[in-house]
DNA sequence: TCCATTTGTCTATTTATCTAGACAACTCGA
DNA sequence: TCGAGTTGTCTAGATAAATAGACAAATGGA
């Protein structure tokens, strides 16, 4: 159940934004049943104890985000959950591939640290075993919905500032650019799928039994020198991986 | 470095709040050197491109939180990092023990799930091995600073709604109350200390080499019936555990 | 077709937030 | 002691957010 109260007046956060945030959460929690029909504006304004216009401002925000759609005379319903389409071809960058599909993309650093490269990682990056590597654990969200959880390895000497740059720019591509890497390719990708483990369920807000696609990718300079080894778990019910043009 | 820009006008979040959030982050990032002297209000208003009064509202918020202190004629400085004092005596509740010290306390649910009780847990909770138990992984923050990371086990049948209640109320004590437990005691506590592992470093924002105090506690009804088994890692450089009255 | 229900639009008013400027009060070093 | 630099306080006005009420326009079922 959604709590009746819980919006703070005069907290520096506008009421419509607090309401929009709550409704967005309720939507991704699947609170509005199978038909996705939301309560009317009057009902919502009663529930949050605000004016109808304030609720309308919140709904307008969610329409803008593409999360809901309103039809005069009928009501407001949740748009069928999007499946974000990720290209995994050779040249396309993560961010570019999503251009036009999304409004707000966000990468969060969950963990970062330097460790001695285990054999499996050293091999992929073309480093000596034990060479220091930077491990970055990320969660990426789009429109507030978690899409993937990745563990990334970099040469710690060359990319010491990577974690900091990612934290600031919110994007690996931009972090690369800040560190002097203008272009890179996906040299190899391996795909598999499995049940999400407990940690992934926590990070990606998945239900027990949810499936993830696991992509192991080696990014490299256009000349082929390894830059980054990444193991990414995509939430399978929210993401389609794509080779070539979109189908439709 | 703190970015110059990055505050959105008309985003539904008041400018003073956005600025307060940025400054709070800058403070915990240790941006204001050893003396902790912050730039003057004029400098800050120039940096964020807002009126001085708007900056003052942000600073007033941080003063209210106890993060900084302002002295007329001198300037604004970061208050020396607090050590939060946690009582671990029999009756005191987490929240109560911190009363007066803090302004904003926040518990985040990192993971939750039901599993068959392993022998070690079943024993402590007085349940049969394999009985379903709810596992709740939490991070608690005060004034935006992460203090502890805990793994908690409950009887899943009795406390099925625990995760949801904690998420909503942001407090275990309040969640208990919602579920009909008005009072409880700490029946047993064991303490040790060790280096933080990688996951804890990520969750609590600790540097490599940081130390945590690990408390294993069994909470029970006043009559002694087990309610909750918790393993909590406290960031040792931010927390003092206390038995009896505060020293000083 | 008619009617209840729902979203869309308009006007008006109040409250919160932000800006602008002036000056007082205080601290510290020259 | 003086003055530069700082925070504290006040007034006034502009802009954004929220409330209130009324009615139009579309939908879907009776």
């Amino acid at each position: 159940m959604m709590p009746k109260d819980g919006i703070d007046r005069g907290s520096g956060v506008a009421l419509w934004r607090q309401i929009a945030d709550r409704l967005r959460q309720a939507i991704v929690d699947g609170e509005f049943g199978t038909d996705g029909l939301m309560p009317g504006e009057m009902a919502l304004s009663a529930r949050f104890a605000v004016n109808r216009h304030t609720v309308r401002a919140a709904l307008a925000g969610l329409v803008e985000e593409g999360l809901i759609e309103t039809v005069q005379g009928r009501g407001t319903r949740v748009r069928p959950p999007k499946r974000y389409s990720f290209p995994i071809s050779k040249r396309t960058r993560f961010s570019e591939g999503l251009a036009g599909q999304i409004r707000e993309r966000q990468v969060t650093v969950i963990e970062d640290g330097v460790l001695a490269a285990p054999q499996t990682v050293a091999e992929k990056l073309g480093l000596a075993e034990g060479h220091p590597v930077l491990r970055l654990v990320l969660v990426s969200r789009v429109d507030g919905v978690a899409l993937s959880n990745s563990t990334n390895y970099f040469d710690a000497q060359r990319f010491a500032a990577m974690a900091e740059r990612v934290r600031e720019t919110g994007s690996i591509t931009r972090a690369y650019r800040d560190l002097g890497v203008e272009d890179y390719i996906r040299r190899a990708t391996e795909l598999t799928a499995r049940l999400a483990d407990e940690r992934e369920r926590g990070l990606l807000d998945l239900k027990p039994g949810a499936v993830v696609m696991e992509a192991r990718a080696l990014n490299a300079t256009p000349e082929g020198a390894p830059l980054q080894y990444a193991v990414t778990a995509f939430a399978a019910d929210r993401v389609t991986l794509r080779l070539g043009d979109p189908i439709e």
Side-chain angles (χ1 to χ4, degrees), chain A:
Chain A
M1 284 308 297
M2 189 164 35
K4 280 188 179 54
D5 50 352
I7 55 177
D8 304 325
R9 304 180 96 93
S11 67
V13 182
L15 300 185
W16 66 264
R17 172 143 294 287
Q18 297 183 54
I19 292 169
D21 291 342
R22 286 193 165 271
L23 289 177
R24 188 189 302 106
Q25 190 57 49
I27 287 167
V28 305
D29 287 351
E31 190 162 320
F32 300 118
T34 48
D35 57 350
L37 200 60
M38 297 176 68
E41 295 171 354
M42 295 294 256
L44 289 175
S45 65
R47 162 130 65 157
F48 292 111
V50 298
N51 191 274
R52 176 173 159 240
H53 292 86
T54 309
V55 167
R56 282 178 60 74
L59 293 178
L62 297 175
V63 168
E64 174 64 21
E65 288 178 24
L67 262 181
I68 61 173
E69 52 192 358
T70 59
V71 179
Q72 187 173 155
R74 177 144 33 118
T76 304
R77 70 177 57 235
V78 178
R79 278 180 55 171
K82 287 187 215 167
R83 290 182 66 84
Y84 298 89
S85 176
F86 282 80
I88 52 172
S89 50
K90 256 205 168 184
R91 283 206 81 79
T92 341
R93 239 106 346 102
F94 185 93
S95 322
E96 284 181 1
L98 286 166
Q101 289 186 72
I102 57 160
R103 332 279 154 158
E104 191 191 8
R105 197 168 152 277
Q106 198 183 12
V107 172
T108 315
V109 177
I110 303 294
E111 273 182 41
D112 72 296
V114 173
L115 63 161
Q119 196 262 328
T120 51
V121 170
E123 183 183 42
K124 271 130 192 151
L125 289 177
L127 302 172
E129 189 172 343
H131 184 98
V133 290
L134 171 66
R135 185 167 92 152
L136 256 191
V137 179
L138 306 174
V139 166
S140 88
R141 296 170 174 278
V142 164
D143 296 342
V145 180
L147 294 190
S148 69
N149 165 36
S150 63
T151 303
N152 303 270
Y153 296 92
F154 304 86
D155 181 343
Q157 290 176 355
R158 166 134 195 225
F159 295 111
M162 198 71 189
E164 181 203 342
R165 303 312 306 156
V166 171
R167 252 187 267 263
E168 257 187 36
T169 62
S171 150
I172 291 216
T173 301
R174 264 172 291 178
Y176 264 137
R177 203 163 298 151
D178 284 4
L179 297 173
V181 177
E182 292 295 335
D183 197 14
Y184 60 93
I185 61 169
R186 221 172 232 278
R187 209 177 85 181
T189 306
E190 289 179 355
L191 282 177
T192 177
R194 55 178 172 74
L195 284 178
D197 64 31
E198 200 160 337
R199 174 155 200 214
E200 286 162 346
R201 294 211 303 273
L203 290 172
L204 300 178
D205 199 24
L206 297 172
K207 293 187 174 56
V211 172
V212 294
M213 288 177 287
E214 182 179 283
R216 297 172 174 269
L218 186 60
N219 287 341
T221 64
E223 294 73 37
L227 287 172
Q228 169 191 17
Y229 175 58
V231 181
T232 307
F234 292 94
D237 60 346
R238 300 172 193 158
V239 169
T240 299
L241 300 180
R242 171 162 57 80
L243 271 156
D245 293 329
I247 297 172
E248 193 187 12

